[in-house]
Amino acid sequence: MSPPLVHVQSPTTPPAQADVVVIGGGIVGIFTAYYLAKRGISVAVVEKGRIGAEQSSRNWGWCRQQNRDARELPMATKSIDLWEQFSAETGEDTGFNRCGLLYLSNDDEEINRWAAWGEFAKTAGVTTYMLDSKQAAERGHATGRAWKGGVFSPTDGTADPVKAAPAVARAIMKLGGHVIQQCAARGIETEGGRVSGVITEAGVIKTKVAVMAGGAWASSFCHQLGIRFPQASVRQSIMSVAPMDQPLPGALYTSGVAVTRRSDGSYALAISGRARVDPTMQFLRFSPQFLPMFAKRWRSLSPGGLEAWRSGHETLTRWRLDAPTPMERMRILDASPDPVSIRATHRRAVELLPQLAQARVTHTWAGYVDSTPDGVPGIGELPQTPGLILAAGFSGHGFGIGPGAGHLIADLASGVEPIVDPRPYHPNRFSDSSWGKVADF
């Protein structure tokens, strides 16, 4: 069962030309287009399926600074403010709410990691509070149990994946930008080695700048251009339950399960990090670079099946530009939830918050979370094809940092001072023999 998602009314025929073409209508691509349209730059978003229908509507909805890798923290901090600003300046509702994020634990090692991050956070101007056992029990009173400690980050919050990307799409169209659904981008047209157009199933859009924000599809798209972008996806499962009369924490993390209240009062339930690894040729191709990440996170990963192979988003096949591509055969990457994970998620959630036993399960779904070898996104112009900007590999963090990432990508596309230093994100780092450490969180 797919997650609920607000539908956006938009054309299916692209314009003949645009200053910038954004490939992919997920949260990163759609915010990129919004910040370009705000500047009066002609922009077109082309989405093979529906706006926000893949991982942008299949995540927790957390918008956090807490426990961010140092490389992502500046973008996360900017994003928190930008989430608020977007609603204020457009009147569109993304469901964003600074409800604060609560972390509870009985594991000394985990608490010590949070405390170490808290010391770092002070140097970065982030507000976060370590909780002792008494404070953790008070904050987590709904669980009815004792805790050794925890963290509360009051300035962080959540947005609603059901609403967010569609809300931004509507804002783009109000500004005169183009949002085109059911229109797959098949490839890039070049003149003199530079981008000159984006080839779609409905024709060519002339442009000098293209942004590849295709999520789990990005590496296979780059492969068509002879560009090597190491990317791997895992299949994560999530579920939701109906609204309840008894209020529960807005956003609660424990190592066993995480619970998030959505704007309609329903609750999303998930186990952090648990995923199925569905092998594909792309996965096998890049597996040596992902060994450090998998070695660090192997306890949360389980072997999957052939679903990803059949879905086509990690193909190494070269496709024709004048015939239907894998994107047109799989308009929406609607992965099957893992029943074992779903059962475990519900059981753990009820054990943590017994009130949930009375809540009706409304949806179960899964999504492919695309990652880079170090767990930090790849953002930057690809030197092999000047004018093509990559924005992918957000490693499960893309929703929360979507506004900051979109702003940064729009800055790069329009040649203005970047909102944050773009150098830690440039995908060229993966061509080096040593590209840095795997993100801790």
Side-chain angles (χ1 to χ4, degrees), residues 313-356:
H313 62 288
E314 292 191 348
T315 181
L316 292 183
T317 301
R318 296 293 182 99
W319 57 67
R320 291 171 49 184
L321 301 180
D322 61 350
T325 67
M327 288 89 71
E328 289 140 272
R329 291 189 287 272
M330 182 61 69
R331 292 284 179 185
I332 296 174
L333 197 56
D334 190 14
S336 301
D338 173 25
V340 175
S341 291
I342 292 297
R343 288 193 295 269
T345 299
H346 192 254
R347 183 185 71 252
R348 293 184 185 189
V350 171
E351 289 172 355
L352 179 69
L353 297 164
Q355 307 93 314
L356 289 172

mmCIF file of all heavy atoms in Angstrom, residues 313-356:
data_model
loop_
_atom_site.group_PDB
_atom_site.id
_atom_site.type_symbol
_atom_site.label_atom_id
_atom_site.label_comp_id
_atom_site.label_asym_id
_atom_site.label_seq_id
_atom_site.Cartn_x
_atom_site.Cartn_y
_atom_site.Cartn_z
ATOM 1 N N HIS A 313 15.527 0.743 -11.324
ATOM 2 C CA HIS A 313 16.155 2.019 -10.985
ATOM 3 C C HIS A 313 17.668 1.901 -10.792
ATOM 4 O O HIS A 313 18.362 2.921 -10.740
ATOM 5 C CB HIS A 313 15.526 2.605 -9.711
ATOM 6 C CG HIS A 313 15.698 1.761 -8.498
ATOM 7 N ND1 HIS A 313 15.015 0.581 -8.309
ATOM 8 C CD2 HIS A 313 16.462 1.922 -7.392
ATOM 9 C CE1 HIS A 313 15.352 0.056 -7.150
ATOM 10 N NE2 HIS A 313 16.234 0.841 -6.574
ATOM 11 N N GLU A 314 18.177 0.672 -10.702
ATOM 12 C CA GLU A 314 19.624 0.488 -10.570
ATOM 13 C C GLU A 314 20.179 -0.339 -11.727
ATOM 14 O O GLU A 314 21.086 -1.139 -11.563
ATOM 15 C CB GLU A 314 19.954 -0.156 -9.224
ATOM 16 C CG GLU A 314 19.668 0.754 -8.041
ATOM 17 C CD GLU A 314 20.224 0.229 -6.726
ATOM 18 O OE1 GLU A 314 20.631 -0.951 -6.675
ATOM 19 O OE2 GLU A 314 20.258 1.001 -5.755
ATOM 20 N N THR A 315 19.655 -0.107 -12.907
ATOM 21 C CA THR A 315 20.097 -0.841 -14.076
ATOM 22 C C THR A 315 21.448 -0.326 -14.578
ATOM 23 O O THR A 315 21.765 0.861 -14.444
ATOM 24 C CB THR A 315 19.058 -0.750 -15.205
ATOM 25 O OG1 THR A 315 19.520 -1.513 -16.319
ATOM 26 C CG2 THR A 315 18.853 0.699 -15.658
ATOM 27 N N LEU A 316 22.222 -1.209 -15.168
ATOM 28 C CA LEU A 316 23.451 -0.815 -15.868
ATOM 29 C C LEU A 316 23.252 -0.878 -17.379
ATOM 30 O O LEU A 316 24.184 -0.651 -18.143
ATOM 31 C CB LEU A 316 24.609 -1.725 -15.451
ATOM 32 C CG LEU A 316 25.084 -1.597 -14.001
ATOM 33 C CD1 LEU A 316 26.282 -2.500 -13.752
ATOM 34 C CD2 LEU A 316 25.439 -0.155 -13.658
ATOM 35 N N THR A 317 22.021 -1.153 -17.791
ATOM 36 C CA THR A 317 21.699 -1.208 -19.218
ATOM 37 C C THR A 317 21.663 0.204 -19.799
ATOM 38 O O THR A 317 21.193 1.139 -19.140
ATOM 39 C CB THR A 317 20.331 -1.880 -19.424
ATOM 40 O OG1 THR A 317 20.375 -3.187 -18.868
ATOM 41 C CG2 THR A 317 19.969 -1.958 -20.901
ATOM 42 N N ARG A 318 22.176 0.356 -20.997
ATOM 43 C CA ARG A 318 22.056 1.639 -21.701
ATOM 44 C C ARG A 318 20.719 1.669 -22.440
ATOM 45 O O ARG A 318 20.393 0.747 -23.186
ATOM 46 C CB ARG A 318 23.203 1.809 -22.708
ATOM 47 C CG ARG A 318 24.599 1.886 -22.084
ATOM 48 C CD ARG A 318 24.775 3.144 -21.258
ATOM 49 N NE ARG A 318 26.104 3.234 -20.701
ATOM 50 C CZ ARG A 318 27.106 3.955 -21.215
ATOM 51 N NH1 ARG A 318 26.899 4.645 -22.337
ATOM 52 N NH2 ARG A 318 28.285 3.995 -20.627
ATOM 53 N N TRP A 319 19.936 2.715 -22.221
ATOM 54 C CA TRP A 319 18.639 2.786 -22.882
ATOM 55 C C TRP A 319 18.669 3.758 -24.055
ATOM 56 O O TRP A 319 19.498 4.675 -24.112
ATOM 57 C CB TRP A 319 17.542 3.161 -21.893
ATOM 58 C CG TRP A 319 17.723 4.459 -21.143
ATOM 59 C CD1 TRP A 319 17.712 5.721 -21.658
ATOM 60 C CD2 TRP A 319 17.915 4.616 -19.731
ATOM 61 N NE1 TRP A 319 17.872 6.653 -20.659
ATOM 62 C CE2 TRP A 319 17.999 6.004 -19.461
ATOM 63 C CE3 TRP A 319 18.012 3.718 -18.662
ATOM 64 C CZ2 TRP A 319 18.185 6.523 -18.184
ATOM 65 C CZ3 TRP A 319 18.193 4.222 -17.389
ATOM 66 C CH2 TRP A 319 18.288 5.604 -17.154
ATOM 67 N N ARG A 320 17.745 3.556 -24.966
ATOM 68 C CA ARG A 320 17.617 4.445 -26.129
ATOM 69 C C ARG A 320 16.861 5.700 -25.729
ATOM 70 O O ARG A 320 16.037 5.677 -24.812
ATOM 71 C CB ARG A 320 16.881 3.723 -27.253
ATOM 72 C CG ARG A 320 17.654 2.588 -27.882
ATOM 73 C CD ARG A 320 16.778 1.782 -28.824
ATOM 74 N NE ARG A 320 16.041 2.643 -29.769
ATOM 75 C CZ ARG A 320 15.145 2.179 -30.635
ATOM 76 N NH1 ARG A 320 14.856 0.885 -30.662
ATOM 77 N NH2 ARG A 320 14.516 2.998 -31.455
ATOM 78 N N LEU A 321 17.124 6.782 -26.428
ATOM 79 C CA LEU A 321 16.460 8.044 -26.127
ATOM 80 C C LEU A 321 15.178 8.243 -26.942
ATOM 81 O O LEU A 321 14.439 9.194 -26.685
ATOM 82 C CB LEU A 321 17.419 9.212 -26.385
ATOM 83 C CG LEU A 321 18.727 9.185 -25.576
ATOM 84 C CD1 LEU A 321 19.581 10.396 -25.917
ATOM 85 C CD2 LEU A 321 18.440 9.127 -24.083
ATOM 86 N N ASP A 322 14.949 7.346 -27.885
ATOM 87 C CA ASP A 322 13.748 7.456 -28.725
ATOM 88 C C ASP A 322 12.758 6.341 -28.447
ATOM 89 O O ASP A 322 11.887 6.053 -29.266
ATOM 90 C CB ASP A 322 14.133 7.466 -30.209
ATOM 91 C CG ASP A 322 14.838 6.188 -30.639
ATOM 92 O OD1 ASP A 322 15.203 5.383 -29.747
ATOM 93 O OD2 ASP A 322 15.043 5.994 -31.852
ATOM 94 N N ALA A 323 12.893 5.715 -27.283
ATOM 95 C CA ALA A 323 11.986 4.623 -26.905
ATOM 96 C C ALA A 323 11.758 4.685 -25.398
ATOM 97 O O ALA A 323 12.549 5.294 -24.659
ATOM 98 C CB ALA A 323 12.604 3.278 -27.297
ATOM 99 N N PRO A 324 10.683 4.062 -24.917
ATOM 100 C CA PRO A 324 10.408 4.087 -23.474
ATOM 101 C C PRO A 324 11.586 3.548 -22.664
ATOM 102 O O PRO A 324 12.214 2.556 -23.036
ATOM 103 C CB PRO A 324 9.163 3.195 -23.338
ATOM 104 C CG PRO A 324 8.480 3.314 -24.666
ATOM 105 C CD PRO A 324 9.586 3.406 -25.673
ATOM 106 N N THR A 325 11.862 4.210 -21.558
ATOM 107 C CA THR A 325 12.972 3.879 -20.670
ATOM 108 C C THR A 325 12.438 3.190 -19.410
ATOM 109 O O THR A 325 11.219 3.108 -19.204
ATOM 110 C CB THR A 325 13.719 5.155 -20.269
ATOM 111 O OG1 THR A 325 12.831 5.950 -19.454
ATOM 112 C CG2 THR A 325 14.148 5.959 -21.482
ATOM 113 N N PRO A 326 13.323 2.713 -18.543
ATOM 114 C CA PRO A 326 12.850 2.122 -17.284
ATOM 115 C C PRO A 326 11.995 3.081 -16.458
ATOM 116 O O PRO A 326 11.107 2.640 -15.718
ATOM 117 C CB PRO A 326 14.151 1.771 -16.561
ATOM 118 C CG PRO A 326 15.136 1.529 -17.652
ATOM 119 C CD PRO A 326 14.779 2.509 -18.720
ATOM 120 N N MET A 327 12.248 4.399 -16.557
ATOM 121 C CA MET A 327 11.458 5.362 -15.788
ATOM 122 C C MET A 327 9.996 5.395 -16.233
ATOM 123 O O MET A 327 9.102 5.646 -15.439
ATOM 124 C CB MET A 327 12.044 6.770 -15.905
ATOM 125 C CG MET A 327 13.332 6.949 -15.147
ATOM 126 S SD MET A 327 14.767 6.523 -16.151
ATOM 127 C CE MET A 327 14.823 7.869 -17.308
ATOM 128 N N GLU A 328 9.768 5.154 -17.520
ATOM 129 C CA GLU A 328 8.396 5.154 -18.013
ATOM 130 C C GLU A 328 7.687 3.844 -17.692
ATOM 131 O O GLU A 328 6.458 3.805 -17.588
ATOM 132 C CB GLU A 328 8.389 5.416 -19.523
ATOM 133 C CG GLU A 328 8.760 6.857 -19.837
ATOM 134 C CD GLU A 328 9.669 6.996 -21.045
ATOM 135 O OE1 GLU A 328 10.904 6.925 -20.872
ATOM 136 O OE2 GLU A 328 9.140 7.177 -22.157
ATOM 137 N N ARG A 329 8.456 2.776 -17.544
ATOM 138 C CA ARG A 329 7.868 1.493 -17.158
ATOM 139 C C ARG A 329 7.594 1.423 -15.651
ATOM 140 O O ARG A 329 6.755 0.635 -15.209
ATOM 141 C CB ARG A 329 8.784 0.348 -17.589
ATOM 142 C CG ARG A 329 8.858 0.172 -19.108
ATOM 143 C CD ARG A 329 9.588 -1.097 -19.487
ATOM 144 N NE ARG A 329 11.019 -0.998 -19.266
ATOM 145 C CZ ARG A 329 11.880 -0.528 -20.178
ATOM 146 N NH1 ARG A 329 11.439 -0.133 -21.367
ATOM 147 N NH2 ARG A 329 13.166 -0.477 -19.919
ATOM 148 N N MET A 330 8.293 2.264 -14.888
ATOM 149 C CA MET A 330 8.121 2.301 -13.432
ATOM 150 C C MET A 330 7.936 3.763 -13.035
ATOM 151 O O MET A 330 8.843 4.426 -12.554
ATOM 152 C CB MET A 330 9.332 1.692 -12.731
ATOM 153 C CG MET A 330 9.236 1.630 -11.214
ATOM 154 S SD MET A 330 7.874 0.634 -10.588
ATOM 155 C CE MET A 330 8.397 -1.006 -11.056
ATOM 156 N N ARG A 331 6.740 4.281 -13.276
ATOM 157 C CA ARG A 331 6.474 5.710 -13.041
ATOM 158 C C ARG A 331 6.713 6.086 -11.579
ATOM 159 O O ARG A 331 7.224 7.167 -11.287
ATOM 160 C CB ARG A 331 5.025 6.028 -13.414
ATOM 161 C CG ARG A 331 4.719 5.931 -14.890
ATOM 162 C CD ARG A 331 5.256 7.115 -15.652
ATOM 163 N NE ARG A 331 4.979 7.003 -17.084
ATOM 164 C CZ ARG A 331 5.420 7.869 -17.992
ATOM 165 N NH1 ARG A 331 6.154 8.898 -17.620
ATOM 166 N NH2 ARG A 331 5.150 7.700 -19.259
ATOM 167 N N ILE A 332 6.298 5.205 -10.678
ATOM 168 C CA ILE A 332 6.486 5.449 -9.253
ATOM 169 C C ILE A 332 7.139 4.214 -8.655
ATOM 170 O O ILE A 332 6.618 3.098 -8.782
ATOM 171 C CB ILE A 332 5.155 5.750 -8.546
ATOM 172 C CG1 ILE A 332 4.557 7.050 -9.092
ATOM 173 C CG2 ILE A 332 5.358 5.859 -7.036
ATOM 174 C CD1 ILE A 332 3.165 7.363 -8.568
ATOM 175 N N LEU A 333 8.261 4.422 -8.011
ATOM 176 C CA LEU A 333 8.995 3.334 -7.374
ATOM 177 C C LEU A 333 8.293 3.006 -6.059
ATOM 178 O O LEU A 333 8.597 3.573 -5.016
ATOM 179 C CB LEU A 333 10.438 3.779 -7.142
ATOM 180 C CG LEU A 333 11.491 2.715 -6.861
ATOM 181 C CD1 LEU A 333 11.542 1.676 -7.968
ATOM 182 C CD2 LEU A 333 12.854 3.383 -6.687
ATOM 183 N N ASP A 334 7.336 2.091 -6.157
ATOM 184 C CA ASP A 334 6.464 1.768 -5.025
ATOM 185 C C ASP A 334 6.876 0.414 -4.460
ATOM 186 O O ASP A 334 6.311 -0.623 -4.804
ATOM 187 C CB ASP A 334 5.008 1.757 -5.487
ATOM 188 C CG ASP A 334 4.030 1.672 -4.337
ATOM 189 O OD1 ASP A 334 4.456 1.881 -3.183
ATOM 190 O OD2 ASP A 334 2.844 1.388 -4.587
ATOM 191 N N ALA A 335 7.885 0.429 -3.592
ATOM 192 C CA ALA A 335 8.469 -0.803 -3.076
ATOM 193 C C ALA A 335 7.504 -1.521 -2.133
ATOM 194 O O ALA A 335 6.657 -0.913 -1.489
ATOM 195 C CB ALA A 335 9.774 -0.488 -2.352
ATOM 196 N N SER A 336 7.672 -2.830 -2.040
ATOM 197 C CA SER A 336 6.842 -3.635 -1.143
ATOM 198 C C SER A 336 7.380 -3.571 0.281
ATOM 199 O O SER A 336 8.573 -3.784 0.496
ATOM 200 C CB SER A 336 6.830 -5.099 -1.602
ATOM 201 O OG SER A 336 6.326 -5.214 -2.910
ATOM 202 N N PRO A 337 6.529 -3.296 1.259
ATOM 203 C CA PRO A 337 7.002 -3.313 2.645
ATOM 204 C C PRO A 337 7.376 -4.722 3.079
ATOM 205 O O PRO A 337 6.799 -5.705 2.603
ATOM 206 C CB PRO A 337 5.813 -2.766 3.443
ATOM 207 C CG PRO A 337 4.617 -3.053 2.574
ATOM 208 C CD PRO A 337 5.098 -2.965 1.156
ATOM 209 N N ASP A 338 8.338 -4.802 3.966
ATOM 210 C CA ASP A 338 8.788 -6.087 4.500
ATOM 211 C C ASP A 338 7.858 -6.488 5.646
ATOM 212 O O ASP A 338 7.831 -5.816 6.679
ATOM 213 C CB ASP A 338 10.233 -5.943 4.987
ATOM 214 C CG ASP A 338 10.722 -7.174 5.718
ATOM 215 O OD1 ASP A 338 10.190 -8.264 5.459
ATOM 216 O OD2 ASP A 338 11.641 -7.032 6.554
ATOM 217 N N PRO A 339 7.093 -7.554 5.518
ATOM 218 C CA PRO A 339 6.126 -7.904 6.570
ATOM 219 C C PRO A 339 6.786 -8.192 7.914
ATOM 220 O O PRO A 339 6.193 -7.914 8.963
ATOM 221 C CB PRO A 339 5.414 -9.138 6.009
ATOM 222 C CG PRO A 339 6.300 -9.667 4.931
ATOM 223 C CD PRO A 339 7.026 -8.478 4.380
ATOM 224 N N VAL A 340 7.991 -8.742 7.893
ATOM 225 C CA VAL A 340 8.695 -9.006 9.152
ATOM 226 C C VAL A 340 8.991 -7.695 9.874
ATOM 227 O O VAL A 340 8.779 -7.565 11.084
ATOM 228 C CB VAL A 340 9.988 -9.799 8.896
ATOM 229 C CG1 VAL A 340 10.784 -9.968 10.190
ATOM 230 C CG2 VAL A 340 9.676 -11.158 8.284
ATOM 231 N N SER A 341 9.475 -6.697 9.120
ATOM 232 C CA SER A 341 9.772 -5.392 9.714
ATOM 233 C C SER A 341 8.510 -4.693 10.203
ATOM 234 O O SER A 341 8.508 -4.053 11.260
ATOM 235 C CB SER A 341 10.501 -4.497 8.710
ATOM 236 O OG SER A 341 11.793 -4.975 8.450
ATOM 237 N N ILE A 342 7.433 -4.812 9.432
ATOM 238 C CA ILE A 342 6.173 -4.167 9.819
ATOM 239 C C ILE A 342 5.660 -4.757 11.129
ATOM 240 O O ILE A 342 5.253 -4.023 12.046
ATOM 241 C CB ILE A 342 5.128 -4.305 8.700
ATOM 242 C CG1 ILE A 342 5.540 -3.474 7.472
ATOM 243 C CG2 ILE A 342 3.750 -3.889 9.196
ATOM 244 C CD1 ILE A 342 5.608 -1.984 7.698
ATOM 245 N N ARG A 343 5.692 -6.073 11.238
ATOM 246 C CA ARG A 343 5.227 -6.698 12.481
ATOM 247 C C ARG A 343 6.096 -6.286 13.666
ATOM 248 O O ARG A 343 5.588 -5.982 14.754
ATOM 249 C CB ARG A 343 5.208 -8.220 12.333
ATOM 250 C CG ARG A 343 4.097 -8.748 11.431
ATOM 251 C CD ARG A 343 3.924 -10.249 11.578
ATOM 252 N NE ARG A 343 5.107 -10.979 11.122
ATOM 253 C CZ ARG A 343 5.288 -11.419 9.878
ATOM 254 N NH1 ARG A 343 4.369 -11.177 8.951
ATOM 255 N NH2 ARG A 343 6.374 -12.113 9.557
ATOM 256 N N ALA A 344 7.411 -6.264 13.448
ATOM 257 C CA ALA A 344 8.321 -5.873 14.523
ATOM 258 C C ALA A 344 8.110 -4.415 14.913
ATOM 259 O O ALA A 344 8.153 -4.062 16.102
ATOM 260 C CB ALA A 344 9.764 -6.105 14.094
ATOM 261 N N THR A 345 7.876 -3.568 13.918
ATOM 262 C CA THR A 345 7.649 -2.145 14.184
ATOM 263 C C THR A 345 6.416 -1.956 15.058
ATOM 264 O O THR A 345 6.441 -1.219 16.059
ATOM 265 C CB THR A 345 7.480 -1.371 12.862
ATOM 266 O OG1 THR A 345 8.669 -1.501 12.075
ATOM 267 C CG2 THR A 345 7.204 0.097 13.120
ATOM 268 N N HIS A 346 5.331 -2.598 14.693
ATOM 269 C CA HIS A 346 4.090 -2.443 15.457
ATOM 270 C C HIS A 346 4.242 -2.997 16.871
ATOM 271 O O HIS A 346 3.807 -2.370 17.849
ATOM 272 C CB HIS A 346 2.933 -3.121 14.730
ATOM 273 C CG HIS A 346 1.601 -2.771 15.295
ATOM 274 N ND1 HIS A 346 0.859 -3.641 16.063
ATOM 275 C CD2 HIS A 346 0.871 -1.611 15.229
ATOM 276 C CE1 HIS A 346 -0.261 -3.055 16.432
ATOM 277 N NE2 HIS A 346 -0.284 -1.826 15.940
ATOM 278 N N ARG A 347 4.864 -4.157 16.975
ATOM 279 C CA ARG A 347 5.051 -4.765 18.307
ATOM 280 C C ARG A 347 5.890 -3.857 19.205
ATOM 281 O O ARG A 347 5.538 -3.601 20.358
ATOM 282 C CB ARG A 347 5.739 -6.122 18.155
ATOM 283 C CG ARG A 347 5.916 -6.865 19.491
ATOM 284 C CD ARG A 347 6.695 -8.151 19.352
ATOM 285 N NE ARG A 347 8.109 -7.917 19.071
ATOM 286 C CZ ARG A 347 8.697 -8.139 17.904
ATOM 287 N NH1 ARG A 347 7.996 -8.609 16.876
ATOM 288 N NH2 ARG A 347 9.984 -7.908 17.751
ATOM 289 N N ARG A 348 6.987 -3.347 18.674
ATOM 290 C CA ARG A 348 7.861 -2.483 19.478
ATOM 291 C C ARG A 348 7.164 -1.175 19.839
ATOM 292 O O ARG A 348 7.347 -0.646 20.941
ATOM 293 C CB ARG A 348 9.152 -2.184 18.710
ATOM 294 C CG ARG A 348 10.043 -3.386 18.501
ATOM 295 C CD ARG A 348 11.326 -2.960 17.814
ATOM 296 N NE ARG A 348 12.182 -4.079 17.463
ATOM 297 C CZ ARG A 348 13.420 -3.944 17.007
ATOM 298 N NH1 ARG A 348 13.939 -2.737 16.845
ATOM 299 N NH2 ARG A 348 14.152 -4.999 16.699
ATOM 300 N N ALA A 349 6.381 -0.625 18.904
ATOM 301 C CA ALA A 349 5.688 0.634 19.175
ATOM 302 C C ALA A 349 4.673 0.466 20.301
ATOM 303 O O ALA A 349 4.548 1.332 21.186
ATOM 304 C CB ALA A 349 5.011 1.146 17.908
ATOM 305 N N VAL A 350 3.946 -0.647 20.289
ATOM 306 C CA VAL A 350 2.953 -0.899 21.337
ATOM 307 C C VAL A 350 3.641 -1.158 22.673
ATOM 308 O O VAL A 350 3.154 -0.735 23.736
ATOM 309 C CB VAL A 350 2.044 -2.071 20.935
ATOM 310 C CG1 VAL A 350 1.151 -2.498 22.098
ATOM 311 C CG2 VAL A 350 1.185 -1.684 19.730
ATOM 312 N N GLU A 351 4.780 -1.829 22.652
ATOM 313 C CA GLU A 351 5.532 -2.047 23.891
ATOM 314 C C GLU A 351 6.023 -0.713 24.466
ATOM 315 O O GLU A 351 6.025 -0.515 25.682
ATOM 316 C CB GLU A 351 6.724 -2.966 23.624
ATOM 317 C CG GLU A 351 6.333 -4.411 23.349
ATOM 318 C CD GLU A 351 7.519 -5.253 22.905
ATOM 319 O OE1 GLU A 351 8.627 -4.686 22.719
ATOM 320 O OE2 GLU A 351 7.352 -6.479 22.735
ATOM 321 N N LEU A 352 6.443 0.196 23.584
ATOM 322 C CA LEU A 352 6.933 1.497 24.030
ATOM 323 C C LEU A 352 5.798 2.397 24.498
ATOM 324 O O LEU A 352 5.899 3.058 25.545
ATOM 325 C CB LEU A 352 7.697 2.179 22.885
ATOM 326 C CG LEU A 352 8.272 3.564 23.169
ATOM 327 C CD1 LEU A 352 9.430 3.473 24.173
ATOM 328 C CD2 LEU A 352 8.744 4.222 21.873
ATOM 329 N N LEU A 353 4.730 2.416 23.731
ATOM 330 C CA LEU A 353 3.574 3.280 24.009
ATOM 331 C C LEU A 353 2.314 2.414 23.941
ATOM 332 O O LEU A 353 1.704 2.267 22.869
ATOM 333 C CB LEU A 353 3.494 4.414 22.992
ATOM 334 C CG LEU A 353 4.685 5.390 22.995
ATOM 335 C CD1 LEU A 353 4.708 6.216 21.715
ATOM 336 C CD2 LEU A 353 4.644 6.301 24.216
ATOM 337 N N PRO A 354 1.909 1.810 25.050
ATOM 338 C CA PRO A 354 0.770 0.878 25.039
ATOM 339 C C PRO A 354 -0.517 1.478 24.478
ATOM 340 O O PRO A 354 -1.389 0.741 23.993
ATOM 341 C CB PRO A 354 0.614 0.520 26.517
ATOM 342 C CG PRO A 354 1.980 0.710 27.100
ATOM 343 C CD PRO A 354 2.553 1.892 26.378
ATOM 344 N N GLN A 355 -0.628 2.812 24.513
ATOM 345 C CA GLN A 355 -1.828 3.450 23.970
ATOM 346 C C GLN A 355 -2.030 3.119 22.493
ATOM 347 O O GLN A 355 -3.150 3.146 21.977
ATOM 348 C CB GLN A 355 -1.733 4.974 24.132
ATOM 349 C CG GLN A 355 -1.443 5.442 25.550
ATOM 350 C CD GLN A 355 0.049 5.633 25.813
ATOM 351 O OE1 GLN A 355 0.861 4.779 25.461
ATOM 352 N NE2 GLN A 355 0.413 6.754 26.439
ATOM 353 N N LEU A 356 -0.923 2.823 21.781
ATOM 354 C CA LEU A 356 -1.006 2.558 20.347
ATOM 355 C C LEU A 356 -1.711 1.245 20.032
ATOM 356 O O LEU A 356 -2.095 1.003 18.887
ATOM 357 C CB LEU A 356 0.399 2.541 19.733
ATOM 358 C CG LEU A 356 1.110 3.899 19.646
ATOM 359 C CD1 LEU A 356 2.553 3.712 19.218
ATOM 360 C CD2 LEU A 356 0.380 4.823 18.672
#
